[in-house]
Amino acid sequence: MGVGSSSIVRPVHGALTQAGNIVELFVDVVRNTFRRPFQFREFIEQAWFIASVTILPTALVAIPFGAVVSLQTGSLIKQLGAESFTGAASVLAVIQQGSPIVTALLIAGAAGSAVTADLGSRTIREEIDAMKVLGIDPVQRLVVPRVLAMILVAVLLNGLVSVVGITGGYFFNVILQGGTPGAYLASFSALAQLPDLYVAELKAAVFGLIAGVIAAYKGLHPGAGPKGVGEAVNQTVVITFLLLFFANLILTMVYLQIVPAKGS
């Protein structure tokens, strides 16, 4: 019984300890964000780097995603006899759920893994320890610019996915399903409203914050050697995916309770 209980308690204790450490790092990031001097050059460089590794994959994912949403909603609405609302339903699905989810996948998979690999390689080369010896706070110098860069790029990527997804949905609905361009465009305002765009951008910012903090934590605490860095990258992607989908659920539930649907 003792061996069995310890085998259960040990992973739970490790998970709770890691969660506490991540929250502690999040608090440090918030506190150091307002400390001077702010590493503006590092922030710009990291934002450019993250954007360079995520923009093209995001655009390529957004096109088929918007097409699938448009085709599926168009087929369903046609069965219901409400073809005039195809554009409204497609736009609502892309803006509210599609673009934040695609942004979360790319931020966690591409940007998060890149940040973890960068910080992890610095850690195993003992650069982080050298900074601490010199009195330089690695959180302020390295982590804060990366987290803020991920938030900025996530918000911009969300807008990119929305535009590309809606454009792809329009093309596939009009070309493949024989929809009317005027009706598709005119129905945008039937169901969608500005708060839908606001909450989508808020989701993207929260996703960027979560992905940035987890990637930084895993990068600052990798295992020994290059193998440890690789394992940290894999753990970053998995943990970030789980937390981002859970955060999306919570934000969607709160939004639907606070902001009533248009026409209700």
Side-chain angles (χ1 to χ4, degrees), residues 129-164:
D129 294 334
M131 294 177 65
K132 294 178 180 178
V133 170
L134 294 173
I136 302 174
D137 188 357
V139 175
Q140 181 189 13
R141 180 64 179 82
L142 299 176
V143 175
V144 170
R146 284 163 172 77
V147 172
L148 296 181
M150 291 186 73
I151 294 175
L152 174 63
V153 174
V155 172
L156 297 178
L157 285 180
N158 185 76
L160 174 65
V161 174
S162 299
V163 173
V164 175

Side-chain angles (χ1 to χ4, degrees), residues 109-248:
S113 59
V115 170
T116 302
D118 178 36
L119 293 179
S121 62
R122 292 171 181 263
T123 301
I124 64 174
R125 291 198 304 263
E126 299 183 349
E127 292 183 17
I128 304 299
D129 294 334
M131 294 177 65
K132 294 178 180 178
V133 170
L134 294 173
I136 302 174
D137 188 357
V139 175
Q140 181 189 13
R141 180 64 179 82
L142 299 176
V143 175
V144 170
R146 284 163 172 77
V147 172
L148 296 181
M150 291 186 73
I151 294 175
L152 174 63
V153 174
V155 172
L156 297 178
L157 285 180
N158 185 76
L160 174 65
V161 174
S162 299
V163 173
V164 175
I166 292 173
T167 304
Y170 169 83
F171 175 81
F172 280 92
N173 177 263
V174 173
I175 301 300
L176 298 183
Q177 293 184 316
T180 305
Y184 190 94
L185 297 175
S187 64
F188 276 15
S189 60
L191 299 177
Q193 50 187 339
L194 272 179
D196 296 330
L197 180 61
Y198 298 155
V199 74
E201 295 291 357
L202 175 62
K203 286 182 179 180
V206 173
F207 294 165
L209 175 62
I210 294 174
V213 171
I214 294 176
Y217 174 78
K218 286 296 182 180
L220 294 176
H221 302 86
K227 180 181 178 182
V229 176
E231 293 176 350
V233 171
N234 293 335
Q235 293 173 6
T236 296
V237 174
V238 174
I239 296 175
T240 306
F241 276 175
L242 294 176
L243 290 181
L244 291 188
F245 281 109
F246 183 74
N248 180 62

Side-chain angles (χ1 to χ4, degrees), residues 50-134:
I50 294 172
S52 66
V53 300
T54 55
I55 286 180
L56 182 59
T58 300
L60 295 178
V61 170
I63 293 174
F65 190 88
V68 169
V69 170
S70 178
L71 294 174
Q72 188 64 43
T73 55
S75 176
L76 178 62
I77 290 178
K78 187 175 183 180
Q79 295 178 25
L80 298 176
E83 290 88 345
S84 59
F85 289 97
T86 301
S90 300
V91 170
L92 194 64
V94 170
I95 291 181
Q96 270 197 5
Q97 299 298 328
S99 57
I101 289 177
V102 172
T103 301
L105 294 176
L106 270 299
I107 284 293
S113 59
V115 170
T116 302
D118 178 36
L119 293 179
S121 62
R122 292 171 181 263
T123 301
I124 64 174
R125 291 198 304 263
E126 299 183 349
E127 292 183 17
I128 304 299
D129 294 334
M131 294 177 65
K132 294 178 180 178
V133 170
L134 294 173

